[in-house]
Amino acid sequence: MVRHRREEATIDTAHAEWDPRSEAVQADQVAGYDAMRARGPIAYDGDRSWTVFGHAEAVRILDDPATFSNAVSRHLQIPNGLDGERHRAYRAVVDRYFTVERLAAFEPACRAVAAELVAALPRGRAVEVMSALAEPFADNITCAFMGWPDALRAPLRAWAEKNRRATRAGDRAALSAVAVEFDGHIRAQLDARRGEPVTDPTGELLHETADGRPLRDEEIVSIVRNWTVGELSTIAASVGVVAGFLANHPEVQDRLRTDPSLLVAASDEILRIDPPFVASRRRVTAEHRVAGCLLPVDARVQVLWASVNRDEAVFGDPDEFRLDRDPADNLVYGRGVHYCPGAPLARLELRVLFEELLGGTARITPADGRAAVPARYPNGGFAELTLQFD
């Protein structure tokens, strides 16, 4: 059994029960969340907003979408920002793009992207993994899945970095600007496919219907934005987290080289230990009590995946790597009606990339003297991760 340990963190609680953006938390997010969870399953972080740290409390919220609504944004978010019948109608459309048959057909293209990047990695010297592998893989695989031209890879990568900077800064104006920019990329791809034969998911969406009528352009843009923005950020973060874990745990690395069939379960477990996606929001629709705390109508709630997936009441030692856990307890892709529709695609992409990476190397190790730089809230994973491939 493998244990992955972190230092303890001290939380500044001068102005609220906790501050997710405090430097104490930023120094090591997971340790900070562990420290808060030890104090209780829920905490107030100011401005009518609560954060849920406990697994049982998170499950109750996720299983009650009527009380804890996903409609939290002023902008159209399909399907994740909808509830009830509207959510079900759009989700029926979205789920058709992530079937077993579709993903099996996509796997050769996914493998080609992964193999090209792995072959290009320098051997025997330090490599910054986020810029050399994780982010290019996320950009290139998004273009491959959507049927977008290779020429869009570089603009997507530049956009993703702008989005990360704006998100870290909490800069609403910058976030709005990058959203408009990204929507422009999507609309250009839709326009290029109007009146043309359907050859990819982007073109197919132009012919979809919901509630008996064709989807409007703004609905298609929202659907594609939901797929691709999550892909660009979360897949890149996931690649970094899994690569970093394997470099620091050679016994797990060797086990997966010997038996690649364990890769899906292993990546799920590694992402439970160190979640790439930190939190998601809900809005309270009816006064409700959570862990003894009365939440008023319209209160904002953050389900902190990076804590609930490490709750000792469910997982024992949260840093212990185990492949015999109940998969239903792992909330890395969510739970309930809003379970991530792209989870099968994400698992395929991570499996294929690490099959290629482990098959194309004899050893992955941390680079001497190159400390990893953790990402800052609300992002998970690493900002920089330097490894060596032999």
Side-chain angles (χ1 to χ4, degrees):
M1 293 186 293
V2 178
R3 296 178 186 275
H4 181 66
R5 298 205 175 276
R6 294 175 177 269
E7 297 299 320
E8 289 298 320
T10 302
I11 308 300
D12 176 11
T13 58
H15 303 295
E17 290 183 275
W18 90 298
D19 176 7
R21 296 182 183 274
S22 73
E23 285 304 314
V25 173
Q26 296 303 322
D28 188 333
Q29 289 192 66
V30 172
Y33 306 148
D34 286 350
M36 284 302 300
R37 187 176 61 255
R39 294 173 52 181
I42 187 170
Y44 182 63
D45 60 31
D47 195 24
R48 292 174 62 83
S49 184
W50 280 260
T51 300
V52 172
F53 297 91
H55 190 280
E57 291 73 21
V59 166
R60 285 197 288 274
I61 287 169
L62 300 172
D63 287 350
D64 186 4
T67 304
F68 297 94
S69 168
N70 262 45
V72 295
S73 175
R74 297 171 296 167
H75 306 290
L76 184 63
Q77 294 184 329
I78 299 175
N80 58 310
L82 303 174
D83 297 310
E85 289 301 327
R86 290 188 71 208
H87 173 261
R88 280 188 283 275
Y90 289 111
R91 182 65 185 255
V93 173
V94 169
D95 284 347
R96 291 198 287 271
Y97 290 80
F98 301 102
T99 63
V100 171
E101 295 77 16
R102 277 183 179 267
L103 297 185
F106 176 62
E107 182 167 338
C110 179
R111 193 169 297 280
V113 169
E116 180 183 16
L117 288 168
V118 168
L121 288 172
R123 301 305 200 264
R125 62 182 177 84
V127 177
E128 203 292 291
V129 170
M130 300 309 296
S131 59
L133 179 64
E135 290 160 8
F137 180 70
D139 302 335
N140 298 0
I141 209 67
T142 295
C143 288
F145 183 74
M146 297 304 300
W148 294 350
D150 290 350
L152 197 52
R153 290 177 174 182
L156 282 182
R157 191 167 179 187
W159 176 89
E161 178 53 34
K162 285 188 241 180
N163 189 54
R164 279 191 289 271
R165 287 199 304 266
T167 300
R168 285 195 300 267
D171 186 335
R172 291 181 179 239
L175 284 168
S176 180
V178 295
V180 170
E181 178 185 344
F182 193 78
D183 287 359
H185 289 309
I186 299 171
R187 289 181 185 279
Q189 294 305 310
L190 293 175
D191 289 343
R193 289 160 176 77
R194 297 187 198 279
E196 299 294 325
V198 173
T199 59
D200 55 40
T202 305
E204 191 172 348
L205 281 165
L206 288 167
H207 301 275
E208 289 286 4
T209 62
D211 294 329
R213 59 163 180 81
L215 292 180
R216 296 185 293 273
D217 273 12
E218 60 266 29
E219 294 171 312
I220 298 173
V221 168
S222 180
I223 289 170
V224 176
R225 186 196 310 122
N226 185 53
W227 291 353
T228 52
V229 171
E231 183 87 346
L232 290 168
S233 59
T234 308
I235 287 298
S238 297
V239 170
V241 168
V242 175
F245 185 92
L246 294 180
N248 284 287
H249 297 89
E251 67 277 28
V252 176
Q253 190 181 142
D254 291 344
R255 184 178 179 187
L256 296 178
R257 278 200 177 88
T258 302
D259 188 357
S261 70
L262 298 175
L263 267 168
V264 170
S267 64
D268 277 9
E269 172 69 351
I270 293 167
L271 298 179
R272 180 200 64 75
I273 292 170
D274 195 354
F277 184 56
V278 173
S280 65
R281 297 180 295 165
R282 297 294 191 272
R283 179 177 58 83
V284 178
T285 64
E287 190 174 78
H288 198 84
R289 194 172 293 277
V290 175
C293 180
L294 187 63
L295 307 187
V297 173
D298 286 334
R300 292 187 293 271
V301 176
Q302 281 211 102
V303 177
L304 199 69
W305 309 113
S307 172
V308 301
N309 254 351
R310 295 174 52 81
D311 191 335
E312 294 83 355
V314 175
F315 301 106
D317 179 352
D319 292 313
E320 184 182 357
F321 176 87
R322 288 174 46 186
L323 295 181
D324 62 348
R325 300 186 188 276
D326 183 348
D329 290 334
N330 190 336
L331 305 181
V332 69
Y333 294 107
R335 176 186 169 104
V337 298
H338 291 288
Y339 183 82
C340 176
L345 175 62
R347 288 187 171 112
L348 165 71
E349 291 168 347
L350 292 173
R351 172 179 63 79
V352 168
L353 177 62
F354 282 97
E355 284 174 353
E356 293 296 321
L357 186 60
L358 292 172
T361 59
R363 186 176 60 165
I364 305 169
T365 56
D368 291 340
R370 304 287 188 92
V373 178
R376 295 174 69 86
Y377 178 91
N379 299 313
F382 299 101
E384 295 179 16
L385 173 68
T386 307
L387 303 178
Q388 181 169 315
F389 302 94
D390 296 301

